[in-house]
């Protein structure tokens, strides 16, 4: 049995994880523990949201269930620290838990590389000053953002209430013809059930936050299962294991 733990801030789209568990089938458990902090897409609030003590406190709720790896399931609460800061964040988490660890921001970079993608469009829910930090993070990972849209949504709770049709419009309306993939970087947005539709409409890979977070968790433990129901990323398998 593959068991991966996810540290998820607050409450918004955490039901994407049991949904992914059902898609992946038998032999996998995706455990979610909620962390606390202010629900605000602002740099200072996000730096606090990703503080080490919050992640460790959340992991203590996962520990009794025996996860084999742990992922900080928050894009903005990791990339806001910059590449080196996000690396330190997951290194400290790995040391504190004794497990392979990563975060959604690194998951996006690894997923793009796994698909051979170097030029992307980003359809972000965040305000521009936050979204621009994601662009910088991707650049440090060798990914060029050729188109960025910022929806300017202030809280994760608001993102979690978006109807499916709004998510589809956000994706379809903010692609770029030269982009090799579209990235939607907010774990507060429900996207897992929409991946086949999104990729069909855009005609290219779509990488979304909860999708890549699960993929990264499986990769950390060497679980290479694939499925045709979670986008092009999961048709590739999850590659080799290892931290960050």
């Amino acid at each position: 049995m593959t068991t991966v733990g996810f540290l998820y801030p607050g409450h918004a789209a955490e039901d994407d994880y049991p949904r992914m568990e059902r898609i992946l089938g038998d032999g996998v458990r995706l455990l979610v523990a909620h962390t606390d902090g202010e629900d605000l897409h602002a740099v200072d609030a996000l730096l606090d949201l990703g503080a080490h003590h919050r992640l460790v406190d959340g992991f203590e709720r996962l520990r009794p269930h025996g996860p084999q790896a742990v992922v900080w399931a928050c894009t903005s609460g990791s990339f806001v620290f910059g590449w080196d800061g996000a690396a330190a964040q997951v290194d400290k988490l790995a040391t504190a838990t004794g497990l392979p660890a990563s975060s959604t921001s690194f998951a996006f970079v690894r997923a793009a590389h796994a698909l051979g993608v170097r030029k992307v469009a980003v359809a972000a829910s965040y305000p521009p000053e936050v979204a621009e930090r994601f662009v910088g993070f991707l650049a440090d990972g060798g990914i060029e953002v050729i188109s960025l849209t910022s929806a300017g949504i202030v809280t994760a709770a608001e993102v979690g209430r978006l109807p499916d049709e709004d998510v589809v419009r956000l994706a379809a309306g903010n692609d770029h013809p030269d982009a090799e993939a579209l990235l939607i970087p907010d774990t507060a947005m429900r996207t897992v059930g929409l991946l086949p539709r999104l990729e069909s409409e855009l005609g290219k890979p779509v990488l979304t936050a909860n999708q890549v977070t699960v993929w990264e968790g499986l990769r950390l433990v060497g679980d290479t299962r694939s499925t045709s129901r979670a986008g092009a990323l999961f048709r590739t398998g999850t590659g080799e294991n290892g931290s960050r």
Side-chain angles (χ1 to χ4, degrees), residues 29-52:
R29 289 195 304 163
L30 306 179
L31 307 174
V32 175
H34 297 276
T35 63
D36 60 8
E38 185 179 6
D39 178 16
L40 187 64
H41 288 151
V43 171
D44 288 347
L46 292 167
L47 291 169
D48 179 69
L49 188 70
H52 180 63

Side-chain angles (χ1 to χ4, degrees), residues 122 223 227:
V122 172
D223 188 322
T227 176

Side-chain angles (χ1 to χ4, degrees), residues 228-242:
S228 62
R229 298 170 57 199
L233 178 63
F234 271 90
R235 291 194 291 273
T236 71
T238 50
E240 298 179 358
N241 64 341

Side-chain angles (χ1 to χ4, degrees), residues 121-125 147-151 170-171 174-175 182-186 189:
V122 172
S125 59
S147 175
L148 169 67
T149 301
S150 302
L170 176 71
N174 295 293
D175 188 23
L182 175 73
L183 276 55
I184 305 178
D186 195 341
M189 190 181 296

Side-chain angles (χ1 to χ4, degrees), residues 101-114:
S102 190
S103 68
T104 305
S105 292
F106 286 114
F108 269 111
V109 172
R110 286 210 178 81
H113 283 292

Side-chain angles (χ1 to χ4, degrees), residues 53-210:
H53 70 91
R54 297 192 189 280
L55 306 191
V56 172
D57 287 349
F59 180 76
E60 291 308 313
R61 292 186 283 277
L62 289 173
R63 189 186 296 277
H65 303 285
Q68 298 159 286
V70 60
V71 185
W72 170 221
C74 184
T75 326
S76 55
S78 46
F79 71 68
V80 74
F81 288 86
W83 185 273
D84 291 342
Q89 182 186 56
V90 295
D91 285 347
K92 289 172 66 177
L93 182 61
T95 298
T97 62
L99 297 174
S102 190
S103 68
T104 305
S105 292
F106 286 114
F108 269 111
V109 172
R110 286 210 178 81
H113 283 292
L115 291 173
V117 165
R118 294 295 183 271
K119 295 183 178 183
V120 304
V122 172
S125 59
Y126 318 121
E129 63 271 17
V130 174
E132 288 288 351
R133 292 201 174 207
F134 187 50
V135 174
F137 187 92
L138 292 174
D140 286 342
I143 309 297
E144 179 185 357
V145 176
I146 60 176
S147 175
L148 169 67
T149 301
S150 302
I153 301 176
V154 177
T155 69
E158 293 173 79
V159 175
R161 291 193 292 267
L162 289 175
D164 286 353
E165 292 305 317
D166 285 1
V167 175
V168 172
R169 278 193 291 271
L170 176 71
N174 295 293
D175 188 23
H176 189 284
D178 296 331
E180 298 164 327
L182 175 73
L183 276 55
I184 305 178
D186 195 341
T187 59
M189 190 181 296
R190 290 180 179 83
T191 56
V192 165
L194 296 173
L195 284 162
R197 178 181 173 185
L198 293 173
E199 292 197 338
S200 177
E201 292 200 15
L202 271 65
K204 64 181 61 174
V206 175
L207 298 177
T208 72
N210 291 322

